[in-house]
Amino acid sequence: MENMNPIISVQDLVAKYGEKTILNGITADFYPNEVTVILGGSGCGKSTLLKNILRMYEPHKGSVKIFGEEVTTLETKDFEKILKRVGMLFQSGSLINSIPVWDNLAIPLEQHTKLPKEIIDRIIRTKLHLVGLDHAVNLLPSELSGGMIKRAGLARSIILDPEILFCDEPSAGLDPLTSHSLDHLILELKKQLNMSIVVVTHELASIHRIADKVIFLDKGNLLFHGTLKDAQKCGIEGVETFFKAGKF
């Protein structure tokens, strides 16, 4: 896979909050059709890395290329074109509570396409079917269970058929069975939609189920970047402790 061009390339990325350095010179490549998991202890910079890649926070220094384009210097309108090719599953699901699931999924289609209502309706029903929520079209988010909210959020994140899907702590707050089901669904969608997936998590069971590659951060530094198999026998104390203990 490394003979292919990376779909995301991060070079010497430095991230700061004020004067505090959160990420200290991170370099990592993400390859097509792989699940890359960003992991490490609490406060290590996992979510910060994801948010800097997506320019939710502007990197202090360094390079981020997505689809071969240097996104740190792109004008807003050009970066928005990149974002249309990307999906994001937030930890909370980030559904608008006052409107039904159908309307939540319709918003990206109405904002970013000129499709007629009947096509939008067909796309929404197809995506809800993919995540097992055929019955939820007219339900409010408050009428959904925690797992259903994650599935609805996932349906919305793939509504524009993204080439890359980012997931921030997708299993957070879920029981083990629901978490297992969500992981299986993410892998099925990866296969069906031919996506690359970047996941931030510290859930060991999920990491074992979904990861092709792992990026291990510790106090803002990169400790390991490679396959899950190699991570478990890399000889790096902090990495091996994580896999032996389950969590920090």
Side-chain angles (χ1 to χ4, degrees):
M1 189 66 71
E2 278 76 359
N3 292 327
M4 300 178 65
N5 292 324
I7 199 164
I8 303 170
S9 184
V10 178
Q11 298 289 322
D12 299 319
L13 180 69
V14 176
K16 291 189 173 186
Y17 296 150
E19 295 299 313
K20 185 178 181 181
T21 299
I22 308 300
L23 297 174
N24 186 24
I26 304 300
T27 294
D29 288 331
F30 303 71
Y31 287 91
N33 306 117
E34 290 186 341
V35 178
T36 302
V37 175
I38 304 170
L39 62 147
S42 179
C44 70
K46 301 187 295 293
S47 292
T48 298
L49 176 56
L50 185 150
K51 289 172 182 176
N52 273 258
I53 290 172
L54 290 172
R55 285 178 62 181
M56 294 177 185
Y57 301 134
E58 292 291 341
H60 178 75
K61 191 169 68 172
S63 167
V64 178
K65 291 182 179 179
I66 305 178
F67 308 121
E69 293 229 40
E70 178 58 59
V71 300
T72 60
T73 55
L74 280 181
E75 297 290 333
T76 300
K77 61 180 176 61
D78 294 320
F79 185 55
E80 286 175 352
K81 294 177 183 177
I82 297 286
L83 291 181
K84 288 178 184 178
R85 301 167 66 186
V86 168
M88 179 72 196
L89 175 60
F90 292 95
Q91 182 173 337
S92 64
S94 291
L95 301 175
I96 300 172
N97 291 322
S98 60
I99 60 176
V101 169
W102 191 97
D103 294 303
N104 270 280
L105 270 63
I107 289 171
L109 292 166
E110 292 170 347
Q111 288 184 339
H112 300 298
T113 76
K114 296 180 180 179
L115 295 171
K117 184 181 182 303
E118 59 269 22
I119 300 300
I120 288 176
D121 186 64
R122 190 181 306 167
I123 291 171
I124 291 171
R125 291 183 183 279
T126 298
K127 293 299 168 39
L128 286 175
H129 178 71
L130 284 175
V131 302
L133 289 179
D134 303 76
H135 62 289
V137 173
N138 297 313
L139 296 180
L140 292 169
S142 61
E143 298 175 288
L144 306 179
S145 68
M148 292 169 68
I149 287 172
K150 291 290 179 75
R151 285 172 176 262
L154 183 56
R156 191 182 63 177
S157 71
I158 62 171
I159 200 72
L160 295 174
D161 295 324
E163 295 163 66
I164 307 173
L165 175 64
F166 292 89
C167 304
D168 189 11
E169 299 281 4
S171 298
L174 300 181
D175 63 80
L177 286 177
T178 304
S179 176
H180 185 284
S181 176
L182 184 65
D183 289 340
H184 178 73
L185 175 59
I186 288 171
L187 291 178
E188 281 297 308
L189 292 175
K190 168 185 172 284
K191 187 187 303 181
Q192 291 185 44
L193 302 179
N194 198 31
M195 293 186 299
S196 305
I197 301 179
V198 180
V199 179
V200 170
T201 186
H202 61 270
E203 299 288 345
L204 189 62
S206 288
I207 293 164
H208 280 294
R209 284 192 290 263
I210 67 175
D212 295 308
K213 299 282 180 62
V214 299
I215 293 172
F216 195 99
L217 302 180
D218 180 53
K219 298 177 182 177
N221 297 301
L222 180 67
L223 280 194
F224 179 86
H225 179 209
T227 66
L228 174 62
K229 183 177 179 181
D230 287 343
Q232 296 174 83
K233 57 180 182 180
C234 65
I236 300 170
E237 183 178 358
V239 180
E240 291 197 344
T241 298
F242 178 90
F243 284 104
K244 288 176 181 176
K247 294 182 183 179
F248 280 104

